[in-house]
Coordinates of all heavy atoms in Angstrom, one line a residue:
L1020 N 185.6 81.4 240.7 CA 186.6 80.8 239.9 C 187.4 81.9 239.2 O 187.0 83.0 239.0 CB 186.0 79.9 238.8 CG 185.2 78.8 239.3 CD1 184.5 78.0 238.1 CD2 186.0 77.8 240.1
K1021 N 188.7 81.6 238.9 CA 189.5 82.6 238.2 C 189.4 82.5 236.7 O 188.9 81.5 236.2 CB 191.0 82.4 238.7 CG 191.6 81.1 238.2 CD 193.0 80.9 238.8 CE 193.7 79.7 238.3 NZ 193.1 78.4 238.3
E1022 N 189.9 83.5 236.0 CA 189.9 83.4 234.6 C 190.8 82.3 234.1 O 191.8 82.1 234.7 CB 190.3 84.8 234.0 CG 190.3 84.9 232.5 CD 190.7 86.3 232.1 OE1 191.2 87.1 232.9 OE2 190.6 86.5 230.8
G1023 N 190.4 81.6 233.0 CA 191.2 80.5 232.5 C 190.7 79.2 233.0 O 189.5 79.0 233.3
Q1024 N 191.6 78.2 233.0 CA 191.2 76.9 233.4 C 191.1 76.7 234.9 O 192.0 77.1 235.6 CB 192.1 75.8 232.8 CG 191.7 74.4 232.9 CD 192.5 73.5 232.1 OE1 193.3 73.9 231.2 NE2 192.2 72.2 232.3
N1025 N 190.0 76.0 235.3 CA 189.8 75.7 236.8 C 189.4 74.3 236.9 O 188.5 73.8 236.1 CB 188.6 76.6 237.3 CG 188.9 78.1 237.3 OD1 189.4 78.6 238.3 ND2 188.7 78.7 236.2
E1026 N 190.0 73.6 237.9 CA 189.6 72.2 238.2 C 188.8 72.2 239.5 O 189.3 72.8 240.5 CB 190.8 71.3 238.2 CG 191.4 71.2 236.9 CD 192.6 70.2 236.9 OE1 192.6 69.3 237.8 OE2 193.4 70.3 235.9
V1027 N 187.6 71.6 239.5 CA 186.8 71.6 240.7 C 186.4 70.2 241.0 O 186.1 69.4 240.2 CB 185.5 72.4 240.5 CG1 184.5 72.3 241.7 CG2 185.8 73.9 240.1
T1028 N 186.6 69.8 242.3 CA 186.2 68.5 242.8 C 185.0 68.7 243.7 O 185.0 69.4 244.7 CB 187.4 67.8 243.5 OG1 188.5 67.7 242.7 CG2 186.9 66.4 244.0
F1029 N 183.9 67.9 243.4 CA 182.7 67.9 244.2 C 182.6 66.6 244.9 O 182.6 65.5 244.2 CB 181.5 68.1 243.2 CG 180.2 68.1 243.9 CD1 179.9 68.9 244.9 CD2 179.1 67.3 243.4 CE1 178.6 68.9 245.5 CE2 177.9 67.3 244.0 CZ 177.6 68.1 245.1
T1030 N 182.7 66.6 246.2 CA 182.8 65.4 247.0 C 181.5 65.2 247.7 O 181.0 66.1 248.5 CB 183.9 65.4 248.0 OG1 185.2 65.7 247.3 CG2 184.0 64.1 248.8
L1031 N 180.9 64.0 247.5 CA 179.6 63.6 248.2 C 179.9 62.5 249.2 O 180.7 61.6 248.9 CB 178.6 63.2 247.2 CG 178.0 64.2 246.3 CD1 177.1 63.5 245.3 CD2 177.3 65.3 247.0
T1032 N 179.3 62.6 250.4 CA 179.4 61.5 251.4 C 178.1 60.9 251.6 O 177.1 61.6 251.9 CB 179.9 62.1 252.7 OG1 181.1 62.8 252.4 CG2 180.2 61.0 253.7
N1033 N 178.0 59.5 251.4 CA 176.7 58.9 251.6 C 176.4 58.6 253.1 O 177.3 58.9 253.9 CB 176.6 57.7 250.7 CG 177.5 56.6 251.1 OD1 178.1 56.6 252.1 ND2 177.7 55.6 250.2
A1034 N 175.3 57.9 253.4 CA 174.9 57.7 254.8 C 175.9 56.7 255.5 O 176.1 56.8 256.7 CB 173.6 57.0 254.8
E1035 N 176.6 55.9 254.7 CA 177.6 54.9 255.3 C 179.0 55.6 255.5 O 179.9 54.9 255.9 CB 177.7 53.7 254.4 CG 176.5 52.8 254.4 CD 175.5 53.3 253.4 OE1 175.9 53.8 252.3 OE2 174.3 53.2 253.7
G1036 N 179.1 56.8 255.1 CA 180.4 57.5 255.2 C 181.3 57.4 254.0 O 182.4 57.9 254.0
K1037 N 180.9 56.7 253.0 CA 181.7 56.5 251.8 C 181.6 57.8 250.9 O 180.5 58.4 250.7 CB 181.2 55.3 251.0 CG 181.9 55.0 249.7 CD 181.4 53.9 248.9 CE 182.1 53.8 247.6 NZ 181.4 52.8 246.7
T1038 N 182.8 58.2 250.5 CA 182.8 59.4 249.6 C 182.9 59.1 248.2 O 183.5 58.1 247.8 CB 184.0 60.4 250.1 OG1 185.2 59.7 249.8 CG2 183.8 60.8 251.5
V1039 N 182.3 60.0 247.4 CA 182.4 59.8 245.9 C 182.8 61.2 245.4 O 182.2 62.2 245.7 CB 181.0 59.4 245.3 CG1 181.1 59.4 243.8 CG2 180.6 58.1 245.9
D1040 N 183.9 61.3 244.6 CA 184.4 62.5 244.0 C 183.9 62.7 242.6 O 183.9 61.7 241.8 CB 185.9 62.6 244.0 CG 186.5 62.7 245.4 OD1 185.7 63.2 246.3 OD2 187.6 62.4 245.6
H1041 N 183.5 63.9 242.2 CA 183.1 64.2 240.9 C 184.1 65.3 240.5 O 184.1 66.4 241.1 CB 181.7 64.7 240.8 CG 180.7 63.6 241.2 ND1 180.2 62.7 240.4 CD2 180.2 63.3 242.5 CE1 179.4 61.9 241.0 NE2 179.3 62.3 242.3
H1042 N 184.8 65.1 239.4 CA 185.8 66.1 238.9 C 185.3 66.8 237.7 O 184.8 66.3 236.8 CB 187.1 65.4 238.6 CG 187.7 64.7 239.8 ND1 188.4 65.3 240.8 CD2 187.6 63.3 240.1 CE1 188.8 64.4 241.7 NE2 188.3 63.2 241.3
Y1043 N 185.4 68.2 237.7 CA 185.0 69.0 236.6 C 186.1 70.0 236.2 O 186.8 70.5 237.1 CB 183.8 69.8 237.0 CG 182.6 68.9 237.4 CD1 182.3 68.7 238.7 CD2 181.9 68.3 236.4 CE1 181.3 67.9 239.1 CE2 180.8 67.4 236.8 CZ 180.5 67.3 238.2 OH 179.5 66.5 238.5
T1044 N 186.3 70.3 235.0 CA 187.2 71.3 234.5 C 186.4 72.3 233.7 O 185.7 72.0 232.8 CB 188.3 70.6 233.6 OG1 189.0 69.6 234.3 CG2 189.3 71.6 233.2
Y1045 N 186.6 73.6 234.1 CA 186.0 74.7 233.4 C 187.0 75.7 232.9 O 188.0 75.9 233.6 CB 185.0 75.4 234.5 CG 184.1 74.6 235.1 CD1 184.2 74.3 236.5 CD2 183.0 74.0 234.5 CE1 183.3 73.5 237.2 CE2 182.0 73.2 235.1 CZ 182.3 73.0 236.5 OH 181.4 72.1 237.1
T1046 N 186.7 76.2 231.8 CA 187.6 77.3 231.2 C 186.7 78.5 231.1 O 185.7 78.5 230.3 CB 188.1 76.9 229.8 OG1 188.9 75.7 230.0 CG2 189.1 78.0 229.3
L1047 N 187.0 79.6 231.8 CA 186.2 80.8 231.9 C 186.9 82.0 231.3 O 188.2 82.1 231.5 CB 185.8 81.0 233.3 CG 184.7 80.1 233.9 CD1 185.3 78.9 234.5 CD2 183.8 80.9 234.8
K1048 N 186.1 82.9 230.8 CA 186.6 84.2 230.4 C 186.3 85.2 231.5 O 185.4 84.9 232.4 CB 186.0 84.7 229.1 CG 186.2 83.8 227.9 CD 185.5 84.2 226.7 CE 185.7 83.2 225.6 NZ 184.8 83.5 224.5
K1049 N 187.0 86.3 231.6 CA 186.8 87.3 232.6 C 185.3 87.8 232.6 O 184.8 88.1 231.6 CB 187.7 88.5 232.5 CG 187.6 89.5 233.6 CD 188.6 90.6 233.4 CE 188.4 91.5 234.6 NZ 189.6 92.1 235.0
G1050 N 184.7 87.8 233.8 CA 183.3 88.2 233.9 C 182.2 87.2 233.5 O 181.1 87.4 233.7
Q1051 N 182.6 86.0 233.1 CA 181.7 85.0 232.7 C 181.1 84.3 233.9 O 181.7 84.1 234.9 CB 182.4 83.9 231.9 CG 181.5 82.8 231.4 CD 182.3 81.7 230.6 OE1 183.5 81.8 230.3 NE2 181.6 80.7 230.2
I1052 N 179.8 84.0 233.8 CA 179.1 83.3 234.9 C 178.7 82.0 234.3 O 178.2 81.8 233.3 CB 177.8 84.1 235.3 CG1 178.2 85.5 235.9 CG2 177.0 83.3 236.3 CD1 177.0 86.3 236.3
L1053 N 179.0 80.9 235.1 CA 178.8 79.6 234.7 C 177.8 78.9 235.7 O 177.9 79.1 236.9 CB 180.1 78.8 234.7 CG 180.0 77.3 234.4 CD1 179.7 77.1 232.9 CD2 181.3 76.7 234.8
F1054 N 176.8 78.2 235.2 CA 176.0 77.3 236.0 C 176.2 75.9 235.7 O 176.2 75.5 234.5 CB 174.5 77.7 235.8 CG 174.1 79.1 236.2 CD1 174.2 80.1 235.4 CD2 173.7 79.3 237.5 CE1 173.9 81.4 235.8 CE2 173.4 80.6 238.0 CZ 173.4 81.6 237.1
H1055 N 176.3 75.1 236.7 CA 176.5 73.6 236.5 C 175.5 72.9 237.4 O 175.4 73.2 238.6 CB 177.9 73.2 236.9 CG 178.1 71.7 236.7 ND1 178.8 71.2 235.7 CD2 177.6 70.6 237.4 CE1 178.8 69.9 235.7 NE2 178.1 69.5 236.8
T1056 N 174.7 72.1 236.8 CA 173.7 71.4 237.6 C 174.2 69.9 237.8 O 174.8 69.3 237.0 CB 172.3 71.3 236.9 OG1 172.4 70.7 235.7 CG2 171.7 72.7 236.7
F1057 N 173.9 69.4 239.0 CA 174.2 68.1 239.4 C 172.9 67.4 240.0 O 172.3 67.9 240.9 CB 175.3 68.0 240.5 CG 175.7 66.7 240.9 CD1 176.6 65.9 240.2 CD2 175.1 66.1 242.0 CE1 177.0 64.6 240.6 CE2 175.4 64.8 242.4 CZ 176.4 64.1 241.7
S1058 N 172.5 66.4 239.3 CA 171.3 65.7 239.8 C 171.7 64.3 240.3 O 172.6 63.6 239.8 CB 170.3 65.5 238.6 OG 169.9 66.7 238.2
S1059 N 171.0 63.9 241.3 CA 171.2 62.5 241.9 C 169.9 61.9 242.2 O 168.9 62.5 242.6 CB 172.0 62.7 243.2 OG 172.1 61.5 243.9
L1060 N 169.9 60.6 242.1 CA 168.6 59.8 242.4 C 168.8 59.1 243.7 O 168.0 58.2 244.1 CB 168.3 58.8 241.3 CG 168.0 59.4 239.9 CD1 167.9 58.3 238.9 CD2 166.8 60.2 240.0
E1061 N 169.8 59.5 244.5 CA 170.0 58.9 245.8 C 168.7 59.1 246.7 O 168.1 60.2 246.7 CB 171.2 59.5 246.6 CG 172.5 59.2 245.9 CD 172.8 57.7 245.9 OE1 172.6 57.1 246.9 OE2 173.4 57.2 244.9
S1062 N 168.3 58.1 247.5 CA 167.1 58.2 248.2 C 167.4 58.6 249.7 O 166.5 58.8 250.5 CB 166.3 56.9 248.2 OG 167.2 55.9 248.7

């Protein structure tokens, strides 16, 4: 990601082919490392 504001879209596709988008906005400083966890109970 670049310094400043970043918009990220995380797209998941289920077994039936249906997609689900998850949108995130991050504001980073130079050299910053960011961790984002995403958990799902999909079986």
Side-chain angles (χ1 to χ4, degrees):
L1020 301 173
K1021 64 184 188 313
E1022 184 178 7
Q1024 188 169 350
N1025 295 267
E1026 293 186 19
V1027 177
T1028 301
F1029 179 52
T1030 304
L1031 293 174
T1032 305
N1033 68 12
E1035 292 83 37
K1037 181 181 175 192
T1038 60
V1039 178
D1040 290 338
H1041 299 273
H1042 302 279
Y1043 302 100
T1044 302
Y1045 306 108
T1046 303
L1047 285 92
K1048 297 176 186 171
K1049 185 173 181 154
Q1051 181 180 358
I1052 296 176
L1053 173 75
F1054 291 92
H1055 180 106
T1056 59
F1057 179 86
S1058 299
S1059 174
L1060 296 175
E1061 293 296 321
S1062 59

